[in-house]
Amino acid sequence: MTPIAEPYDDPIDSESIRAALSTTAMVRRIDYLATTRSTMDDARRAAAEGAPDGTLIVADEQSAGRGRFQRTWVSPPGVNLYLSLLLRPSPEVASQLSMMAPLALARALRRVADGRGGLVTIKWPNDVRMGGRKIGGILIESSLAQDGAEGFSIVGIGVNVNFDPVEFEEIRDTATALLGELGRPVPRLQLLAALMEEAEELYLALGEGSAVREEWASMLDTLGQRVSVTWGDTVYEGVAEGVDDGGGLLLRLPNGSIESFSAGEVTLRG
Ligand code: BTN
């Protein structure tokens, strides 16, 4: 679809974010920043200062937004969602956040997608795609409890909402945004509210021992595909055959054997 031409005014601030969110069982504190380097750094600082489980940091713009493997996350002002959620989960729950977060985002995008929700998929492990192009990314940074300091996980989420990725050379060929997919702008707070509602439901369910793996795996567009997995200097070619209990990718190699890769270690193309 062709994006609309006029600029769309979609301001956010602390008050409007607080009014939009009803997720008080998960989000205990909200910090809004008009501009920052990266909400990941802000969340890390907040964690060190003892911020509570459920501290949500939302920025309108990031000057040094980052993705997995130190890639840049394009973060212009006024158009997209950039947030980090500081959680202090049990180790069992922490190990499932890399499935929970993309699933929450995929569910939220489906809710706002005007019947085009079927286009939303997840590329293993946690890229969220629409029509086969990346629309959202998840970055999780965790610190184990040590020397009396409490452990924490920071779930960073970036979503391309009302911008045109074509304007940014580094993502022009691979990214998309809701604006282009739906042919209309989407109020960021509507998407943020849906995202937090889905995340809260899944997070509380995880705390009660439920698993998210099955639903997450059902949305993976990677399975059955021929892919190449880069692990350090080694590239493995094979067919993505499934995922293991921890969400690791099971790759069928040309010699018939199966190799398992965990999400933090590899990049995947295919
Ligand atoms: C990826 O796909 O590689 C992950 C992208 C994560 C981007 C978000 S935007 C909010 C938070 N702050 C950052 O600097 N990164 C994450």
Side-chain angles (χ1 to χ4, degrees):
M1 280 207 186
T2 319
I4 56 155
E6 311 92 65
Y8 171 64
D9 192 24
D10 186 27
I12 57 174
D13 59 24
S14 319
E15 264 169 46
S16 57
I17 293 171
R18 284 196 183 96
L21 297 188
S22 58
T23 42
T24 47
M26 181 180 71
V27 178
R28 310 247 166 83
R29 172 177 139 184
I30 297 170
D31 294 354
Y32 167 74
L33 299 156
T35 185
T36 188
R37 281 178 56 76
S38 160
T39 57
M40 299 306 284
D41 299 340
D42 301 312
R44 199 169 265 279
R45 211 169 301 118
E49 288 163 2
D53 173 60
T55 296
L56 174 67
I57 299 176
V58 182
D60 190 54
E61 172 187 35
Q62 298 183 117
S63 57
R66 61 174 192 266
R68 294 172 71 224
F69 305 107
Q70 305 303 324
R71 294 184 189 124
T72 298
W73 187 259
V74 172
S75 310
V79 283
N80 294 331
L81 280 182
Y82 319 113
L83 63 93
S84 291
L85 179 62
L86 167 66
L87 298 170
R88 298 187 183 274
S90 67
E92 296 72 41
V93 170
S95 69
Q96 300 201 57
L97 293 176
S98 66
M99 295 181 269
M100 177 281 238
L103 178 57
L105 177 55
R107 281 183 176 188
L109 288 167
R110 287 188 162 181
R111 272 169 61 176
V112 303
D114 298 341
R116 307 183 138 243
L119 296 176
V120 179
T121 56
I122 299 172
K123 177 187 167 196
W124 181 90
N126 49 25
D127 283 355
V128 179
R129 302 209 277 196
M130 198 158 174
R133 288 174 160 249
K134 183 158 172 170
I135 194 162
I138 314 286
L139 178 65
I140 299 184
E141 297 179 351
S142 293
S143 166
L144 295 174
Q146 57 183 342
D147 304 330
E150 229 188 324
F152 61 83
S153 295
I154 299 168
V155 181
I157 304 181
V159 196
N160 300 335
V161 187
N162 293 320
F163 83 154
D164 186 354
V166 167
E167 290 165 21
F168 299 88
E169 204 188 329
E170 59 271 52
I171 57 171
R172 158 177 312 160
D173 296 332
T174 52
T176 190
L178 272 175
L179 177 71
E181 293 297 327
L182 305 185
R184 68 165 176 98
V186 173
R188 286 181 290 168
L189 290 180
Q190 184 194 352
L191 181 63
L192 178 66
L195 171 58
M196 287 299 115
E197 276 165 30
E198 297 296 345
E200 180 177 86
E201 184 183 312
L202 291 166
Y203 188 57
L204 297 181
L206 281 179
E208 285 162 9
S210 303
V212 296
R213 181 184 158 280
E214 221 166 281
E215 190 182 341
W216 165 78
S218 76
M219 295 196 69
L220 291 174
D221 55 20
T222 315
L223 303 187
Q225 303 293 316
R226 178 157 288 281
V227 296
S228 71
V229 169
T230 306
W231 186 68
D233 293 334
T234 315
V235 179
Y236 295 83
E237 307 271 350
V239 175
E241 209 158 89
V243 283
D244 63 23
D245 285 346
L249 186 72
L250 301 172
L251 190 70
R252 173 80 63 182
L253 299 176
N255 68 8
S257 67
I258 293 259
E259 194 78 39
S260 163
F261 296 93
S262 89
E265 294 171 342
V266 300
T267 53
L268 180 135
R269 270 184 203 87

